[in-house]
Amino acid sequence: GEIADEIAKKLEAFANFGFPESHSVSFAYIVYSSAWIKYHHPAEFACALLNSQPMGFYSPHTIVRDARRHGVETLGVCIEQSRRDCTLESRSDEAGPQGFPMRGWHADPSVHALRLGLRYVRGLPSALLDRIDAEREQGPFVDIEDFARRTDAPVDALESLATAGAFSIFGHDRREALWSAGALRLSRSALRTGRLPGLVPGMEAPTLPGMEPEEVVAADIWATGISPDHHPTEFSRADLAKRGVVTTGSLRDTPHGTVVEVAGLVTHRQQPETAGGVVFINLEDEDGLLNVICTAAVWSRYKRIASRSPALCVRGILERRRGVTNLLAQRIEALPISLTGAQRSRDFR
């Protein structure tokens, strides 16, 4: 009896801890494995995450930006090179052998480049992606008209592909491709009546101004939700620097307790029920991510701006504890950045 009671008590005690212990061991193994793969194979890791979406905590845009900061060359969608899912290609000569600089050191360069998949272009249904794959096996596409004729792609899909730069392989910049897509909208019947290729009127675009880098980023974000080349905050950096706003990268050398001002896109908002009214915001700029802590009083004062604006400028006190950097918010402002079509932040209770 005494032995049975002792065993029962031990089982009861372990029942209160057994699940957290097994859960933590499993989670630790996943974290270690993921960290190892990301360190040694950053392109493969990012590609797998993108192909597993929707999932997890971070958006595809954040995953791509993080991959670039770790030396991975990222390439936009291409009607010939891109497949349905994201794929890996050989690293281009333009990217160089050393990867992208990261504040005083270079990430070990990946031998692969990451090519975005057509699944990320807005308005492309699964059936169209299947037809594109099937037609590509019959031979390469010659031009936009040939692509539209063979795949029967709706004009809205053509315009999304043009906006994403997918037709640049045909020698068209984005505005020229959009012009051609518009001509196909007006002459859609010409593709279905057996008219000979090359006779659709209005396909040749007049001389049009090219897009500025900021416009290219806006087009990428609208069309795919991902900017493979630049982060939107880069184009406001000069003005932000004039008013003393620093990058998240510069915070690595900033002492604990310093009052700083940081700006970026909002990737997450979290308000745990156990946090006593505290709200956590993640900001992302061209250098990385920063966790912003908003006390109940600060959140109450700036809630309207902080809960609705896609990009914020936050002034606060820098906290650095056990290798973790946070910003304790004091003042929050909306950051005016063009983010048409951008993915919304992931907000949790």
Side-chain angles (χ1 to χ4, degrees), residues 16 33 37 87 101 108 113 115 126 130 132 151 158 205 218 224 229 243 260 271-272 306 310 330 348:
N16 294 327
S33 301
I37 296 171
T87 54
D108 290 335
R115 172 73 70 177
S126 181
D130 290 338
I132 293 173
T151 63
L158 295 176
T224 66
D229 296 320
R243 53 178 286 188
V260 297
Q271 190 175 19
Q330 296 176 322
F348 303 94

Side-chain angles (χ1 to χ4, degrees), residues 277-298:
V278 174
V279 177
F280 302 93
I281 297 176
N282 281 88
L283 290 185
E284 180 189 61
D285 66 6
E286 63 268 31
D287 279 357
L289 294 162
L290 177 65
N291 186 44
V292 177
I293 302 173
C294 302
T295 62
V298 169

Side-chain angles (χ1 to χ4, degrees), residues 9-25:
K9 289 181 180 179
K10 289 183 177 181
L11 288 173
E12 184 179 5
F14 182 77
N16 294 327
F17 182 74
F19 172 75
E21 183 180 41
S22 61
H23 183 77
S24 64
V25 171

